[in-house]
Amino acid sequence: MSVLIGTTPTRTFDDSRRWVTEGTALLTGAIDGLDPSAFDGDSQLPGWTRKHLVGHVAANADALGNLISWAETGVEKRMYASTEQRNADIEAAATRPAEELRSWYHRGVAELDEAMDRLTAEQWEHEVITAQLVTRKASDVPWMRAREVFVHAVDLGVGITFADLPDDFLLALADEIRTKRGLADDDLIGVEGPLPEVAAWLAGRPHDLMDAPTLGPWL
């Protein structure tokens, strides 16, 4: 898999902020292009309609906004009350009217962007705790959001593919997923193809690679 082996992509804070902007524009265009009836259609995520997906991405903006608030004020504010509550909220979102979901999504995008713009360089260095109970610097929040908007733009099932995502983002994404999955070079022997297909495979999404082992879903 020549696109990954021997490659150690660098991901800067400025890269992540740029990817949030680009990914949000891509996803927003896709969501705004949906007729209300299309929200009830299936996404590319098993068991999820587009309503589930839009509700999830909207709730993610609110949750990441909690981490930004934590970094800004110093007052602990977790992403979600609990995993169970997060899941229940997504299921509840799937029952809401399409235009209500669309408005929620737009509000979350605007509020998260404004919150990130307020943070000082010092505040970006503050530590927060993610939904996976991992301690990270607030400066990782833009990367976390960039993954959500880009990958879920594909998951929305409106014709966007991994080939529509920026190569530098895909390299950073593939490197992170490979590390988190604990895949060594030996695990990747025989897995070769274009970067978008490799990234889709690593993310557990549909791909056109031949003879690549099946990986479970990610994100």
Side-chain angles (χ1 to χ4, degrees):
M1 189 170 57
S2 58
V3 295
L4 291 182
I5 290 179
T7 301
T8 305
T10 55
R11 167 171 56 83
T12 68
F13 176 76
D14 288 341
D15 287 334
S16 296
R17 289 298 305 266
R18 171 171 54 85
W19 290 331
V20 170
T21 300
E22 294 173 356
T24 298
L26 183 66
L27 179 58
T28 299
I31 291 174
D32 285 349
L34 290 174
D35 290 331
S37 60
F39 276 71
D40 289 311
D42 291 336
S43 74
Q44 292 189 348
L45 293 177
W48 272 20
T49 65
R50 293 192 180 105
K51 281 188 174 181
H52 285 94
L53 186 59
V54 174
H56 164 67
V57 179
N60 174 261
D62 293 343
L64 292 178
N66 288 344
L67 297 187
I68 295 296
S69 173
W70 187 349
E72 183 177 24
T73 66
V75 178
E76 182 175 323
K77 198 171 186 180
R78 297 296 183 98
M79 290 181 67
Y80 304 100
S82 66
T83 300
E84 293 74 20
Q85 186 61 53
R86 171 184 176 273
N87 294 339
D89 288 345
I90 292 172
E91 290 302 320
T95 68
R96 295 168 69 170
E99 294 306 332
E100 186 177 311
L101 285 173
R102 203 188 322 253
S103 296
W104 179 19
Y105 167 80
H106 278 285
R107 175 186 57 75
V109 164
E111 290 180 357
L112 179 60
D113 189 54
E114 291 168 4
M116 290 195 294
D117 283 345
R118 287 198 305 269
L119 252 58
T120 66
E122 180 181 0
Q123 289 168 337
W124 279 116
E125 294 299 306
H126 291 178
E127 290 187 339
V128 295
I129 299 174
T130 70
Q132 292 75 37
L133 303 181
V134 176
T135 300
R136 304 177 71 161
K137 289 185 178 180
S139 57
D140 280 336
V141 168
W143 168 245
M144 294 163 65
R145 183 61 177 175
R147 296 180 316 188
E148 292 283 335
V149 291
F150 267 134
V151 175
H152 288 323
V154 176
D155 293 334
L156 196 63
V158 296
I160 297 170
T161 71
F162 276 77
D164 296 310
L165 311 188
D167 283 352
D168 56 353
F169 168 78
L170 289 176
L171 280 170
L173 180 72
D175 182 68
E176 178 175 87
I177 300 174
R178 176 185 171 180
T179 299
K180 288 190 173 182
R181 288 190 184 277
L183 296 173
D185 287 353
D186 288 347
D187 298 317
L188 307 175
I189 293 175
V191 180
E192 298 181 356
L195 174 59
E197 297 297 328
V198 172
W201 167 68
L202 285 168
R205 266 60 175 187
H207 59 84
D208 292 329
L209 299 180
M210 300 294 292
D211 302 322
T214 300
L215 296 177
W218 173 88
L219 192 69

